């Protein structure tokens, strides 16, 4: 089943920040806004709202099972299984690298037209109480492609002009903060990233657009349906706050049509 075969996205349920992207007997895919945790975490014990509970509300109160994660500040496509067996099957496909994931990001500078970032990453402890304990280093690989560039006449960090790029990111592994850490590793950090980004650039965009957000969005997933065996292509367009910041690219993006 291709994206063109899917029904039009449903609007968010009343008071529910999630927007339905796809639903069948076994799966529920939604668009998650930036700033919402997927599920309860020991790192954010004080939080009371999670994508998991909102997805359950969209599932008539029945349990849903997250099969992958999105960082709290990352917006975009999030897939839940509607039963434990489907969750297990899709989880195994993810672990085997059989799920293609695509992201859009706006980064500082002009990276190469395309490239592969093969840079191992040290795992992050899930509990802050273990932050001083040694953590294993895991292989991590990300492919990227530059989609558009722009240069604005604003002096930041001592340069008379500032350069930015829109890039497509395709992680082959699923390490925590992998895309954010990999873009920092090649000196093209994602705008709005308070952990791995550049503070002065982040402040400029927060002041210019009146809000601060990580410019990273999960836009597509392609995988074999764990039950029907058909190819499923899911897509979630970037939300309004993401597109607002992309206005700095002017007509460059307007001539491209829909984003990849």
């Amino acid at each position: 089943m291709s994206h063109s075969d899917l029904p039009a996205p449903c609007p968010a349920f009343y008071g529910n920040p999630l927007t339905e992207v796809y639903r069948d007997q076994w799966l529920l895919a939604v668009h998650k806004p930036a700033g919402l945790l997927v599920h309860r975490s020991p790192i954010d014990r004080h939080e009371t709202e999670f994508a998991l509970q909102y997805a359950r509300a969209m599932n008539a109160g029945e349990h849903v099972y997250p099969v992958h994660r999105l960082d709290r500040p990352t917006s975009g496509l999030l897939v839940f299984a509607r039963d434990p067996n489907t969750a297990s099957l899709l989880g195994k496909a993810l672990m085997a690298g059989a799920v293609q994931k695509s992201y859009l990001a706006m980064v500082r500078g002009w990276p190469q037209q395309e490239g592969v970032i093969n840079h191992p990453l040290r795992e992050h402890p899930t509990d802050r109480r273990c932050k001083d304990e040694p953590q294993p280093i895991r292989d991590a690989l990300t492919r990227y492609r530059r989609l558009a560039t722009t240069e604005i006449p604003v002096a930041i960090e001592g340069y008379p002009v500032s350069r930015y790029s829109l890039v497509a990111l395709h992680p082959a592994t699923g390490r925590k903060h992998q895309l954010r850490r990999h873009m920092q590793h090649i000196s093209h950090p994602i705008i709005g990233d308070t952990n791995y980004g550049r503070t002065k650039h982040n402040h400029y965009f927060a002041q210019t657009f009146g809000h601060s957000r990580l410019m990273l969005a999960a836009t597509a997933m392609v995988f074999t349906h764990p039950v029907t065996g058909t190819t499923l292509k899911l897509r979630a367009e970037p939300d309004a706050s993401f597109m607002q910041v992309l206005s700095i690219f002017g007509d460059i993006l307007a001539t491209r049509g829909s984003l990849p």
Side-chain angles (χ1 to χ4, degrees), residues 15 18 36 58 75 92 99 103 116 128 148 179 186 195 197 207 223 231 233 244:
L18 304 181
L36 182 66
M58 297 171 73
S75 62
K92 290 176 181 178
V99 177
Y103 293 74
V116 176
R128 286 175 178 166
L179 300 179
I186 64 170
N195 288 348
Q207 293 169 1
F223 55 91
T231 299
K233 299 178 180 179
Q244 183 186 25

Side-chain angles (χ1 to χ4, degrees), residues 29-212:
V30 301
H31 178 280
K32 181 192 82 72
L36 182 66
L37 285 167
V38 172
H39 48 66
R40 193 176 302 277
S41 164
I43 297 177
D44 297 278
R45 298 176 185 276
H46 62 286
E47 293 296 334
T48 59
E49 295 187 32
F50 311 95
L52 183 63
Q53 72 188 47
Y54 287 119
R56 182 173 179 176
M58 297 171 73
N59 196 42
E62 298 294 328
H63 284 289
V64 292
Y65 305 83
V67 293
H68 67 112
R69 64 174 182 261
L70 288 181
D71 294 341
R72 178 177 183 168
T74 304
S75 62
L77 187 62
L78 182 63
V79 178
F80 295 91
R82 300 179 70 186
D83 64 82
N85 183 59
T86 302
S88 175
L89 291 172
L90 191 50
K92 290 176 181 178
L94 279 159
M95 292 291 291
V99 177
Q100 301 173 36
K101 295 187 286 185
S102 300
Y103 293 74
L104 283 177
M106 191 178 104
V107 303
R108 183 188 70 85
W110 292 359
Q112 295 180 4
Q113 186 64 47
E114 59 183 24
V116 176
I117 307 169
N118 189 355
H119 176 66
L121 297 172
R122 187 177 300 278
E123 285 193 354
H124 285 180
T126 56
D127 192 323
R128 286 175 178 166
R129 292 172 296 183
C130 303
K131 63 182 179 65
D132 295 326
E133 297 180 7
Q135 301 296 321
I137 297 174
R138 307 292 189 193
D139 290 340
L141 188 146
T142 301
R143 295 178 175 86
Y144 71 87
R145 180 166 55 93
R146 196 182 72 207
L147 303 175
T149 60
T150 190
E151 185 176 82
I152 61 175
V154 178
I156 302 176
E157 295 185 338
Y159 296 95
V161 296
S162 297
R163 291 179 168 184
Y164 302 97
S165 299
L166 178 67
V167 296
L169 301 174
H170 306 284
T173 51
R175 310 307 177 200
K176 186 172 183 180
H177 297 175
Q178 175 175 316
L179 300 179
R180 298 162 64 182
R181 296 165 75 184
H182 269 179
M183 295 314 292
Q184 179 202 40
H185 175 69
I186 64 170
S187 300
H188 294 288
I190 299 173
I191 298 302
D193 193 335
T194 56
N195 288 348
Y196 309 102
R198 303 293 284 265
T199 300
K200 292 183 179 179
H201 290 270
N202 293 346
H203 284 174
Y204 169 77
F205 283 97
Q207 293 169 1
T208 300
F209 293 100
H211 61 79
S212 177

